[in-house]
Amino acid sequence: NAGVTQTPKFQVLKTGQSMTLQCAQDMNHEYMSWYRQDPGMGLRLIHYSVGAGITDQGEVPNGYNVSRSTTEDFPLRLLSAAPSQTSVYFCASSYSKQGGYTFGSGTRLTVV
Amino acid sequence: SQKIEQNSEALNIQEGKTATLTCNYTNYSPAYLQWYRQDPGRGPVFLLLIRENEKEKRKERLKVTFDTTLKQSLFHVTASQPADSATYLCALSSNDYKLSFGAGTTVTVRA
């Protein structure tokens, strides 16, 4: 049982480049989220999904897109990378709206 | 705006003692409060969830209290061990699923 799998683990991008961070879960969870974690600021919600085909914005959605075509996958797209998007990105999933969340191991992204 | 504050300073305690962490919130009426543990370079791991109508919840050596009047949660690790050394995150949610996190408190347990 893999849980939540994120790829890649590390990535360096140049300003203006685009990329997709992958997230997959094998627990049949309906609820999935993307967070970014910056020093001293805690985890901030970027986008979330309450099921396949349904997504919504979180606290810091600008510069990011998501889609949810299947229950298992929830990719995060950076449209045009900026240095301010340098961060550690975590994907999480849950079986219920209020249930405890299972997090992936993160993607450390550096934009130069 | 909503604000979640945890002990800003790191907590250093002796093995066997109880670690007590604080989570205060303002401009928020959470329905649920959760605590997570995060080790360096890893994702957070869920520990406990407590609902707004619950005062206290326990799990093994962990205890969480939730006081909606004081807008505060306390998280206790009793009989602490060096393996309990980690950063502990407080997280709140209402019924809209959006989970908001505090910045975390780092705990170091000395042998």
Side-chain angles (χ1 to χ4, degrees):
Chain A
N1 210 353
V4 177
T5 302
Q6 291 185 237
T7 55
K9 294 191 182 303
F10 301 92
Q11 183 71 48
V12 178
L13 286 179
K14 293 183 178 179
T15 297
Q17 286 185 317
S18 62
M19 79 160 295
T20 299
L21 279 61
Q22 301 293 342
C23 175
Q25 52 91 8
D26 61 359
M27 298 170 285
N28 202 33
H29 286 172
E30 290 295 326
Y31 299 89
M32 296 187 76
S33 302
W34 275 103
Y35 292 87
R36 60 177 290 174
Q37 187 172 37
D38 302 292
M41 297 190 72
L43 288 150
R44 291 183 292 169
L45 182 64
I46 304 171
H47 285 286
Y48 67 99
S49 171
V50 298
I54 307 169
T55 64
D56 204 349
Q57 296 182 350
E59 180 185 356
V60 288
N62 292 338
Y64 308 95
N65 272 357
V66 292
S67 60
R68 183 100 180 267
S69 57
T70 67
T71 299
E72 295 78 21
D73 300 300
F74 191 40
L76 178 72
R77 281 181 288 278
L78 277 70
L79 309 173
S80 177
S84 61
Q85 293 179 304
T86 294
S87 187
V88 181
Y89 291 85
F90 289 102
C91 179
S93 73
S94 171
Y95 65 94
S96 73
K97 186 166 62 174
Q98 69 274 14
Y101 300 90
T102 301
F103 280 79
S105 57
T107 295
R108 185 173 294 274
L109 176 69
T110 302
V111 182
V112 297
Chain B
S1 61
Q2 298 171 351
K3 197 170 184 180
I4 302 170
E5 292 185 320
Q6 298 187 240
N7 309 58
S8 57
E9 296 185 7
L11 188 63
N12 291 286
I13 61 170
Q14 187 74 35
E15 182 176 10
K17 301 293 185 183
T18 296
T20 298
L21 283 63
T22 303
C23 176
N24 295 300
Y25 58 92
T26 56
N27 297 323
Y28 207 142
S29 296
Y32 310 97
L33 188 145
Q34 305 179 32
W35 284 89
Y36 289 78
R37 168 188 173 133
Q38 188 173 23
D39 293 289
R42 309 288 293 272
V45 174
F46 171 70
L47 297 175
L48 280 167
L49 178 148
I50 187 167
R51 292 173 171 77
E52 62 178 335
N53 60 352
E54 298 176 313
K55 297 294 184 187
E56 179 180 302
K57 185 164 274 191
R58 294 173 185 259
K59 180 183 176 183
E60 298 173 353
R61 294 184 295 109
L62 308 179
K63 185 178 87 170
V64 173
T65 63
F66 192 11
D67 189 327
T68 55
T69 301
L70 291 178
K71 295 186 182 295
Q72 181 181 80
S73 173
L74 298 178
F75 177 79
H76 306 271
V77 183
T78 59
S80 60
Q81 305 165 1
D84 295 325
S85 299
T87 296
Y88 292 87
L89 308 173
C90 167
L92 284 72
S93 64
S94 298
N95 288 311
D96 62 354
Y97 177 69
K98 295 180 182 180
L99 193 61
S100 299
F101 283 83
T105 299
T106 299
V107 175
T108 302
V109 182
R110 304 187 307 275

